[in-house]
């Protein structure tokens, strides 16, 4: 083939017809793109300012590329360093090392691109510092933000007496565009209150995890004379502890909203006396002992342990609803899930039925209801699951419920166990409709539990909501050890409900208790009138589960009150009584719709003068509460330092059969490194708590 | 779609489609999922077409196009607007083609010696189609830079300046690569 000289051979390329793409491929590509986009949005939604690891193609102009004769990058880079670093170094040398202040200038790993990108393309800063008036983003402020977001952990320098010098330093640094502590309370160089205004914002960068948590406000202190009654629903979940543990072990401080203190406390088994029969499935254990972080207050601890029927008597019909979307294809997700279910299977026997439904990716029934005797068959079905494909909304959840109803066991456990890494695309897109469906199915006797796997994609809020609506529990399975705990040691609690809709109502006696505060349970608060309304859903207690709730109470006349007494009256409290409080609990037996009532006064007979006398469980629960409060920078109870928390936990170790308490002590160590005690938290001194919630 | 070149020359009046794309890009960059869906659906055929011209297989082109769509989804928030969106998409596509071809080379699977003659193409005489597919095959077997230059200029019908922006080289270099390609193909064809 040859071309005449006058004709451009390439002209023929114009007419090349492209065979059309197949519609399915196009659909696939568009879905995948949309998913990638959404995932990216999720990631950047909470990301702190700064450049995430792994650069992307920011521009198509890659100058300095392909200059093969002489690589200009080194000389240019050197010149840039000389121009930038030397003056800065000089400035630093002049303003810090020779001036008598304790100002510590954080290192800034300043990505150069940031200054170049325009303001709206920069991701939103994480709300870790003050809410500044949104002004036009200039490079200096961007730099300062950078410093807040990526500075390593540095003790917050508090202004010394030479704050004049310090101010000059700050002003100087502003002048050369160095990150200076920008606070909402005072602009640099302005008048400032000594203690508050001039600390460095917390440099503990919360790394965007990609996991989502519902935000909640902390329980506030209540005045017993004004609000004597406190009502909440029990919470038997433990997901928050598993998540926090994993974050800490990887060297991150978990986000505030990821720490639910009651779930931290309830992760651990406690040795409360169990109930005698299934008719009254639990009895409360109450103790009052001094608060370890506040000498003027006491802790009222309420603990229950669910009745544990012998395993042979239980019958379960379980449907595993397994997420097989592509994101499950990680060693700590689907493969771990298979091993975990292998463990669970070993706990089941002739009385039990198992079925498997998958959604997303390979959707459909993987195993029809099968007696748990046929272990080989069930394991084979599990082994065949593979993660692949994008999330195609198959009718996963309805299918699961259909199978559960098909194999329904009249007086046993009927439960759908949803295992996912955060993809809830189970066939109903609308979360509200999904909740309604689950609540309706709950009424027909099929409950739902959620097991979360992996990290980076978890949608904790949805997990909690589904489990709460489904009378089940939500757990995070982060390791094989955790799988063993949830599915072997506490299988009764995981599978067999002994009491439904357990509500707690405590009425404090204002003559004895002036203020009180429930620790944790923020997401489980109930209205006072909900207590006697059997239609209101609440937490469920599984066989052998222990649940603990702590109140911090301020006795009258102890001087520990945070709220000033009223000037005009209001001091008239009812008939003087010796009782500290009155505890009421309501629960329903699993197959009943009418609630039972348990009542018990809290009298001086359960008050201990020393926390050690109250026993190891009291010490340990208090240590976990202190740990949780410190971890989330609570406005209460952070007066203990890490060593004291650790000592208290050590004292409360007891026999520790599962080794969980020892593990917790290790976590306290880890937390003390990641969030040192000297660390001043912005929320301690903040005028409003808006930006801290 | 015209790439809006930076500079002081008066840019051509953007047509409607162009303006629409720009608006969609802006909304997608600010996190609007709907806008992104519309945008990527509008871009898919072009991406797929480019991928097909570069590699010549429908399956591969579909795979590449999907990769490119995912990459765009991941990176659009960081698209800085310093170049035209279409140029940016081209750039990602060309990179994806390159990655894919390298991966393929690593896997040791070689491209078929002869591209198939698609029935759609064969509507003219068989011979013309054969000639054309031979030419395509030859162009695809050119060295990377030459191939990119030729396909951008002739198959995608972009100006030398636009091709230069996409390839990250000077305009004169594009002409040089096209010239070299002609020389190379004289030997080949």
């Amino acid at each position: 083939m040859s071309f005449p000289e006058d004709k451009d051979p390439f002209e023929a390329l114009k007419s090349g017809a492209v065979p059309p793409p197949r519609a399915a491929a196009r659909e696939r590509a568009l879905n995948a793109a949309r998913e990638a986009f959404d995932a990216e949005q999720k990631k950047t939604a909470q990301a702190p300012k700064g450049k995430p690891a792994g650069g992307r193609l920011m521009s198509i102009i890659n100058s300095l590329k392909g200059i093969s004769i002489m690589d200009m990058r080194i000389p240019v880079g050197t010149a840039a360093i000389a121009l930038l670093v030397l003056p800065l170094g000089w400035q630093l040398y002049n303003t810090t090392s020779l001036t008598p202040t304790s100002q510590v200038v954080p290192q800034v790993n300043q990505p150069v691109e940031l200054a170049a990108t325009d303001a709206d393309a920069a991701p939103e800063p994480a709300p870790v510092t003050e809410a500044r008036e949104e002004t036009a983003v200039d490079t200096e402020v961007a730099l300062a933000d950078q410093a807040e977001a990526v500075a390593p952990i540095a003790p917050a320098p508090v202004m010394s007496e030479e704050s004049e010098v310090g101010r000059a330093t700050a002003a100087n640094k502003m002048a050369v565009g160095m990150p200076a502590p920008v606070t909402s309370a005072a602009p640099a160089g302005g008048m400032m209150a000594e203690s508050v205004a001039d600390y460095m914002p917390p440099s503990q960068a919360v790394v965007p995890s990609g996991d989502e948590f519902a935000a909640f406000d902390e329980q506030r202190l209540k005045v017993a004379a004004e609000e004597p009654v406190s009502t909440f629903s029990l919470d038997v979940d433990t997901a928050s502890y598993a998540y926090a543990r994993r974050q800490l072990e990887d060297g991150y401080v978990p986000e505030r909203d990821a720490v639910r203190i009651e779930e931290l406390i309830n992760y651990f088994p406690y040795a409360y006396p169990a109930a005698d029969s299934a008719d009254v499935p639990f009895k409360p254990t109450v103790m009052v002992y001094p608060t370890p972080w506040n000498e003027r207050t006491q802790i009222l601890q309420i603990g229950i342990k669910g009745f544990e029927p012998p395993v042979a008597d239980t019958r379960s019909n379980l449907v595993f609803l397994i997420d097989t979307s592509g994101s499950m294809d990680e060693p700590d997700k689907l493969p771990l899930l298979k091993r975990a279910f292998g463990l669970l299977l070993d706990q089941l026997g002739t009385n039990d039925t198992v079925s498997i439904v998958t959604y997303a990716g390979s959707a459909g029934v993987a195993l029809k209801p099968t007696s748990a005797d046929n272990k080989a068959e069930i394991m084979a079905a599990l082994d065949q699951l593979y993660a692949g494909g994008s999330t195609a909304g198959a009718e996963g959840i309805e299918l699961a419920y259909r199978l559960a109803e098909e194999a329904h066991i009249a007086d046993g456990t009927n439960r759908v166990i949803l295992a996912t890494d955060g993809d809830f695309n189970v066939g109903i897109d609308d979360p509200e409709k999904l909740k309604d469906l689950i609540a309706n199915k709950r009424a027909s006797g099929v409950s739902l539990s959620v097991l979360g796997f992996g990290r980076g994609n978890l949608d904790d809020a949805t997990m909690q909501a589904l489990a709460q609506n489904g009378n089940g529990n939500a757990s995070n399975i982060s390791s094989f050890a955790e799988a063993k705990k949830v599915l072997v040691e506490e299988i009764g609690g995981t599978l067999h409900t002994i009491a439904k809709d357990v509500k707690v109502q405590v009425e404090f006696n204002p003559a004895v208790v002036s203020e009180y505060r429930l620790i944790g349970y923020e997401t489980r608060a109930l209205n006072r009138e909900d207590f006697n309304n059997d239609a209101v859903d609440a937490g469920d207690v599984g066989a052998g589960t222990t649940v603990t709730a702590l109140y911090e109470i301020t006795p009258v006349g102890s001087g520990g009150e945070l709220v000033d007494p009223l000037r005009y009256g209001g001091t008239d409290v009812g008939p003087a009584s010796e009782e500290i409080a009155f505890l009421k609990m309501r629960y329903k037996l699993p197959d009943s719709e009418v609630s039972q009532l348990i009542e018990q006064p809290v009298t001086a007979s359960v008050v201990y003068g020393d926390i050690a006398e109250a026993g190891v469980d009291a010490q340990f629960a208090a240590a976990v509460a202190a740990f949780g409060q410190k971890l989330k920078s609570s406005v209460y109870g952070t007066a203990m330092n890490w060593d004291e928390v650790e000592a208290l936990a050590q004292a409360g170790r007891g026999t520790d059969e599962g080794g969980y308490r020892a593990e917790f002590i290790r976590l306290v160590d880890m937390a003390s490194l990641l969030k040192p005690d000297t660390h001043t938290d912005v929320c301690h001194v903040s005028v409003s708590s808006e930006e801290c919630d | 779609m015209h790439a809006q070149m930076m500079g002081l020359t008066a840019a051509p009046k953007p047509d409607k489609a162009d303006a629409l794309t720009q608006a969609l890009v802006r909304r997608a960059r600010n996190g609007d999922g709907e806008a992104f869906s519309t945008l990527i659906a509008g871009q898919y055929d072009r991406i797929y077409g480019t991928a097909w011209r570069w590699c010549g297989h429908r399956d591969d082109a579909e795979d590449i196009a999907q990769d490119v769509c995912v990459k765009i989804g991941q990176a659009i928030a960081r698209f800085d607007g310093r170049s035209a969106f279409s140029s940016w998409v081209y750039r990602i596509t060309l990179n994806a083609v390159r990655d894919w071809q390298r991966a393929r080379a690593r896997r040791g699977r070689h491209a078929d010696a002869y591209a198939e003659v698609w029935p759609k193409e064969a509507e003219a005489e068989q011979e013309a189609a054969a000639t054309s597919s031979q030419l395509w095959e030859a162009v695809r077997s050119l060295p990377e830079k030459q191939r990119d230059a030729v396909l951008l200029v002739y198959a995608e019908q972009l100006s030398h300046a636009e091709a230069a922006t996409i390839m990250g080289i000077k305009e004169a270099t594009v002409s040089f690569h096209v010239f070299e390609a002609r020389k190379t193909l004289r030997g080949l064809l």
Side-chain angles (χ1 to χ4, degrees):
Chain A
M1 190 162 108
S2 65
F3 294 108
E5 285 301 313
D6 58 342
K7 188 168 166 281
D8 192 339
F10 295 138
E11 290 297 322
L13 292 173
K14 272 182 202 165
S15 54
V18 177
R22 281 167 293 208
R26 183 192 161 100
E27 209 46 48
R28 245 201 331 270
L30 297 186
N31 280 339
R34 181 64 206 265
E35 243 175 82
F37 178 82
D38 288 346
E40 200 59 31
Q41 287 302 320
K42 253 192 204 178
K43 247 185 259 173
T44 50
Q46 282 297 313
K49 273 206 169 178
K51 192 162 170 265
R56 287 190 183 75
L57 185 68
M58 312 267 286
S59 152
I60 65 161
I61 300 166
N62 40 3
S63 49
L64 302 180
K65 181 169 172 271
I67 303 173
S68 49
I69 305 166
M70 187 186 290
D71 196 338
M72 288 299 291
R73 278 174 294 190
I74 293 169
V76 167
T78 317
I81 287 170
L83 285 172
L84 277 172
V85 174
L86 285 177
L88 279 185
W90 175 246
Q91 190 69 31
L92 284 180
Y93 181 74
N94 269 340
T95 52
T96 55
S97 62
L98 297 180
T99 44
T101 65
S102 56
Q103 196 78 0
V104 178
V105 176
Q107 275 184 306
V108 185
N109 311 324
Q110 171 59 32
V112 183
E113 286 88 341
L114 198 95
T117 55
D118 45 0
D120 65 348
E124 280 293 307
V128 287
T129 54
E130 74 291 332
R132 194 190 305 102
E133 288 282 314
E134 278 303 336
T135 52
V137 177
D138 64 328
T139 320
E140 271 164 35
V141 175
L143 276 168
D145 272 347
Q146 270 304 94
E148 291 160 15
V150 301
I153 305 163
V158 180
M159 265 301 176
S160 56
E161 271 72 51
E162 303 99 28
S163 56
E164 283 299 330
V165 184
R167 272 206 288 279
T169 317
N172 263 338
K173 281 194 308 205
M174 284 301 273
V176 296
M178 275 300 296
V182 183
T183 58
S184 52
M191 293 294 292
M192 35 178 124
E194 280 230 338
S195 59
V196 175
D198 204 40
Y199 54 83
M200 289 298 276
S203 51
Q204 182 63 61
V206 176
V207 174
S209 56
D211 302 323
E212 288 184 26
F213 297 92
F216 59 86
D217 293 347
E218 234 187 321
Q219 292 276 11
R220 309 305 293 193
L221 189 87
K222 305 262 173 59
V223 178
E226 293 166 8
E227 278 182 88
V229 179
S230 160
T231 313
F232 64 96
S233 144
L234 275 191
D235 177 3
V236 291
D237 291 343
T238 59
S240 176
Y241 180 80
Y243 184 83
R245 175 180 58 196
R246 184 160 176 177
Q247 290 291 79
L248 286 169
E249 281 174 347
D250 285 358
Y252 300 113
V253 174
E255 298 149 62
R256 292 171 59 96
D257 290 333
V259 180
R260 287 188 290 271
I261 298 177
E262 78 276 9
E263 295 191 16
L264 266 48
I265 296 173
N266 286 335
Y267 178 88
F268 302 94
Y270 299 95
Y272 303 127
D276 316 319
S277 73
D279 303 335
V280 182
F282 55 81
K283 58 178 186 209
T285 308
V286 183
M287 294 181 270
V288 178
Y289 50 84
T291 309
W293 57 82
N294 186 343
E295 58 207 9
R296 292 182 165 162
T297 62
Q298 292 173 307
I299 288 185
L300 165 64
Q301 176 168 350
I302 302 163
I304 61 164
K305 183 177 168 69
F307 172 72
E308 203 155 7
V311 178
D313 298 355
T314 56
R315 304 175 59 208
S316 350
N317 154 35
L318 306 179
V319 181
F320 297 138
L321 176 56
I322 300 177
D323 175 0
T324 51
S325 60
S327 57
M328 288 291 282
D329 191 15
E330 283 174 32
D332 63 347
K333 294 181 180 176
L334 199 57
L336 174 62
L337 181 151
K338 290 177 182 177
R339 295 201 301 277
F341 280 168
L343 279 179
L344 176 62
L345 205 54
D346 288 339
Q347 312 293 305
L348 304 174
T350 326
N351 293 335
D352 307 309
T353 319
V354 174
S355 11
I356 302 174
V357 177
T358 61
Y359 72 94
S362 50
V365 180
L367 181 75
K368 283 197 149 36
T370 308
S371 167
D373 276 354
N374 310 330
K375 289 202 178 7
E377 191 183 333
I378 298 171
M379 282 316 288
L382 263 179
D383 279 340
Q384 276 166 10
L385 301 181
Y386 63 93
S390 62
T391 314
E395 298 294 291
I397 191 122
E398 301 203 350
L399 202 55
Y401 276 121
R402 208 172 319 140
L403 288 186
E405 275 150 24
E406 210 174 286
H408 197 278
I409 297 176
D411 53 349
T413 303
N414 297 284
R415 194 175 289 249
V416 172
I417 299 179
L418 170 61
T420 178
D421 66 343
D423 252 323
F424 290 100
N425 199 342
V426 288
I428 300 174
D429 312 338
D430 180 5
E432 287 307 314
K433 279 193 188 144
L434 189 58
K435 280 184 210 168
D436 288 350
L437 172 86
I438 289 169
N440 285 338
K441 296 292 181 185
R442 180 187 77 210
S444 71
V446 181
S447 50
L448 176 105
S449 290
V450 186
L451 302 179
F453 286 84
R455 193 182 35 179
N457 191 17
L458 276 178
D459 183 352
D460 178 78
T462 311
M463 264 177 66
Q464 295 287 327
L466 296 189
Q468 282 174 41
N469 280 288
N471 271 12
N473 37 30
S475 319
N476 272 334
I477 310 282
S478 51
S479 66
F480 191 71
E482 190 64 27
K484 179 168 165 285
K485 177 177 190 281
V486 172
L487 299 175
V488 179
E489 288 161 31
E490 298 173 0
I491 180 153
T494 308
L495 292 185
H496 309 300
T497 306
I498 50 144
K500 290 190 305 187
D501 296 350
V502 183
K503 301 168 191 171
V504 179
Q505 189 163 59
V506 182
E507 183 182 342
F508 290 96
N509 179 359
V512 180
V513 178
S514 61
E515 293 167 1
Y516 68 90
R517 172 177 73 93
L518 177 58
I519 299 176
Y521 289 98
E522 286 89 353
T523 54
R524 305 287 176 141
L526 292 176
N527 298 329
R528 186 170 166 181
E529 64 274 16
D530 292 343
F531 183 73
N532 291 327
N533 182 349
D534 282 358
V536 175
D537 182 50
D540 309 280
V541 177
T545 320
T546 55
V547 189
T548 306
L550 303 182
Y551 280 97
E552 185 178 1
I553 56 177
T554 312
V556 169
S558 67
E561 285 91 345
L562 293 177
V563 180
D564 296 332
L566 293 174
R567 181 183 170 101
Y568 305 111
T571 51
D572 185 23
V573 292
S577 152
E578 288 306 296
E579 285 176 11
I580 298 167
F582 193 69
L583 166 69
K584 291 193 281 189
M585 298 180 80
R586 277 197 177 276
Y587 67 93
K588 296 176 194 160
L589 288 172
D591 46 6
S592 146
E593 284 311 310
V594 182
S595 65
Q596 318 282 322
L597 181 66
I598 296 178
E599 294 177 305
Q600 183 176 325
V602 181
T603 59
S605 62
V606 294
V607 177
Y608 298 91
D610 182 3
I611 189 166
E613 292 168 31
V616 290
D617 282 349
Q619 285 167 312
F620 193 77
V624 180
F627 167 83
Q629 288 172 152
K630 278 182 76 73
L631 201 59
K632 63 184 305 183
S633 313
S634 160
V635 289
Y636 305 104
T638 48
M640 287 176 90
N641 62 34
W642 288 116
D643 292 343
E644 288 166 343
V645 174
E646 195 174 339
L648 187 63
Q650 278 286 11
R653 243 179 91 170
T655 48
D656 190 21
E657 277 167 18
Y660 304 129
R661 296 187 182 189
E663 180 190 63
F664 171 77
I665 291 164
R666 273 214 328 276
L667 278 197
V668 176
D669 246 356
M670 215 84 77
S672 70
L673 294 175
L674 292 169
K675 202 169 178 174
D677 280 319
T678 47
H679 177 82
T680 312
D681 197 284
V682 72
C683 300
H684 276 286
V685 290
S686 163
V687 192
S688 77
S689 60
E690 297 290 302
E691 61 259 37
C692 302
D693 292 328
Chain B
M1 276 183 39
H2 297 286
Q4 296 235 347
M5 293 305 302
M6 293 193 309
L8 297 174
T9 50
K13 248 187 124 104
D15 56 352
K16 229 173 164 172
D18 214 5
L20 178 67
T21 307
Q22 282 188 6
L24 286 175
V25 168
R26 208 167 308 121
R27 279 167 51 199
R29 269 173 52 193
N30 293 333
D32 181 342
E34 288 306 311
F36 175 75
S37 294
T38 318
L39 175 71
I40 201 77
Q43 293 288 328
Y44 180 82
D45 285 358
R46 173 195 293 272
I47 294 167
Y48 165 82
T50 307
W52 187 86
R53 289 191 190 97
W54 257 253
C55 66
H57 289 264
R58 176 151 73 172
D59 291 1
D60 296 343
E62 282 169 356
D63 285 354
I64 292 172
Q66 177 162 340
D67 280 353
V68 172
C69 289
V70 168
K71 281 206 182 87
I72 292 174
Q74 286 167 344
I76 189 144
R78 303 178 181 282
F79 168 63
D80 58 5
R82 274 189 291 191
S83 58
F85 180 69
S86 60
S87 310
W88 186 68
V89 171
Y90 268 124
R91 178 107 196 114
I92 292 179
T93 311
L94 263 53
N95 281 338
V97 168
R98 202 159 297 133
D99 290 349
W100 169 83
Q101 282 175 331
R102 284 184 188 151
R104 202 180 155 108
R106 270 202 301 277
R107 284 199 300 268
R109 283 202 342 228
H110 294 293
D112 301 339
Y114 297 103
E116 284 175 67
V117 177
W118 291 93
K120 279 259 162 58
E121 270 182 272
E123 57 207 4
E125 297 128 81
Q126 198 70 24
E127 198 182 328
T131 311
S132 141
S133 80
Q134 259 181 336
L135 171 66
W136 275 102
E137 200 49 46
V139 169
R140 284 180 193 129
S141 65
L142 284 168
E144 263 177 24
K145 289 254 195 273
Q146 294 176 24
R147 176 200 64 188
D148 289 356
V150 168
L151 286 176
L152 284 172
V153 172
Y154 289 96
E156 302 288 340
Q157 296 181 33
L158 301 171
S159 71
H160 283 219
E162 285 163 335
T165 313
I166 290 163
M167 292 174 67
I169 54 183
K170 291 195 178 64
E171 203 175 326
T173 322
V174 174
S175 314
F176 170 75
H177 282 313
V178 173
F179 175 74
E180 283 293 295
R182 273 203 202 102
K183 274 208 320 210
T184 315
L185 286 195
R186 285 232 167 80
L188 270 179
L189 298 173

